[in-house]
Amino acid sequence: MDGCTIDVEFGGHKVPVLAGGYYDRFRSNPDLDAIARDPAAGNIDFFRRIPKQKIESRIGPVWAPNFYYRSSSVQLLMSAPVSRLKAILPEPLEPLRACPGYGLVALTFFSYAVCDNDPYDEASIAIVIRRPGACGPHALELAAAIRRRSFHAHVLALPVTTEIARVRGVECYQLPKWLAGISVTIGAEVRAATQAPDGTPDLTLRAPAPDFVDVPSQSHMGANTMIHQIDGRWHRTTVRSNTLSFAQRMLPRDVTLSRHGGPMSDLLGGLGVARPLRLDVVRDAQLVLNMPEPFTMPGSG
């Protein structure tokens, strides 16, 4: 973490945060008028209609949802054999099939330039799953998810670059987070990379920059849902997105994804990922991360 830091207590841990940064000043309950005066945050009108609440969590009361005022991301959606995906998914989760015998794996690199927890980067490997309780043809469910920009997924790996992001993810959400070097660059070329915990290269992605589309705020909304277990009970966690600048390419042939033998590389290898189906690059977006909500898995009695 660049800059001066101070230690704060979170979830029974002492974690370093930026001195004078958003977490140091606001503890996840920001003064939006102060945020609006920060040129780096941009227009934050989207967040003014979303009230923060103090919510009980497994580590005590926390302010939620978490706001990400400026973010960017690079996502590569790949096919993988359903047999491999079923072997790693906890029952009764089911892969959403893109075609007979194949499901979907999403590799995503995130860069959060301005957020309640201060800047950090993150990488994710997730399996796209059927919505719990869904029935009917997979093709229709997939088409509806694409149309609504709303997917359900089970996250398998989620390394981050700061300790407060790791502790919050592990203690509040029980997500598979660890510290790792991550970089995301969206310019004349799109580049993203992760390191293994020992600092050696893990994954690298390169692609020519696509043509971006800029849209008005709140005209290109989405909501993705993570399905996971916390203390042995099923929970769903929703991430709402307000995308402002984005690009998408189907069946990209000029994307280079290199695996160097770290944990993310090994995980992709174990899943048997095959050809890239879609490249999504988001140059600017606002995100709202809600706290996990317990729910009864359909069919569990």
Side-chain angles (χ1 to χ4, degrees), residues 194 200-205 257-262 265-266:
T194 64
T200 58
D202 190 342
L203 288 174
T204 56
L205 182 150
L257 178 63
S258 301
R259 307 179 206 171
H260 305 285
S265 298
D266 292 344

Side-chain angles (χ1 to χ4, degrees), residues 170-194:
V170 171
E171 298 296 339
C172 289
Y173 300 79
Q174 285 196 342
L175 289 170
K177 290 199 174 191
W178 67 88
L179 285 177
I182 301 168
S183 63
V184 183
T185 303
I186 300 174
E189 186 179 47
V190 175
R191 298 184 182 183
T194 64

Side-chain angles (χ1 to χ4, degrees), residues 94-282:
E94 182 182 0
L96 182 60
R97 292 194 295 271
C99 59
Y102 285 86
L104 299 168
V105 173
L107 168 65
T108 314
F109 302 86
F110 301 92
S111 183
Y112 306 119
V114 185
C115 70
D116 287 342
N117 290 348
D118 300 321
Y120 70 99
D121 295 334
E122 183 174 53
S124 167
I125 294 175
I127 297 174
V128 180
I129 61 171
R130 298 207 78 178
R131 178 176 52 83
C135 57
H138 285 243
L140 292 181
E141 184 178 347
L142 178 57
I146 293 172
R147 184 176 66 255
R148 297 169 183 162
R149 294 186 289 274
S150 178
F151 291 88
H152 286 68
H154 181 71
V155 176
L156 303 177
L158 205 62
V160 293
T161 56
T162 65
E163 182 66 2
I164 189 162
R166 186 195 70 81
V167 170
R168 183 180 175 92
V170 171
E171 298 296 339
C172 289
Y173 300 79
Q174 285 196 342
L175 289 170
K177 290 199 174 191
W178 67 88
L179 285 177
I182 301 168
S183 63
V184 183
T185 303
I186 300 174
E189 186 179 47
V190 175
R191 298 184 182 183
T194 64
Q195 295 178 347
D198 63 2
T200 58
D202 190 342
L203 288 174
T204 56
L205 182 150
R206 297 180 65 178
D211 294 327
F212 288 93
V213 177
D214 297 337
V215 296
S217 179
Q218 302 182 56
S219 68
H220 197 83
M221 304 283 288
N224 293 324
T225 303
M226 296 184 289
I227 303 294
H228 53 119
Q229 289 185 317
I230 298 178
D231 297 327
R233 185 178 179 186
W234 286 107
H235 286 68
R236 55 189 167 205
T237 302
T238 302
V239 182
R240 298 167 61 189
S241 58
N242 176 30
T243 302
L244 304 171
S245 181
F246 67 98
Q248 184 182 99
R249 293 173 52 210
M250 301 298 294
L251 301 176
R253 296 183 177 274
D254 49 6
V255 176
T256 301
L257 178 63
S258 301
R259 307 179 206 171
H260 305 285
M264 300 283 275
S265 298
D266 292 344
L267 180 54
L268 289 180
L271 294 172
V273 296
R275 65 178 302 181
L277 300 178
R278 195 174 83 183
L279 174 69
D280 288 274
V281 183
V282 175

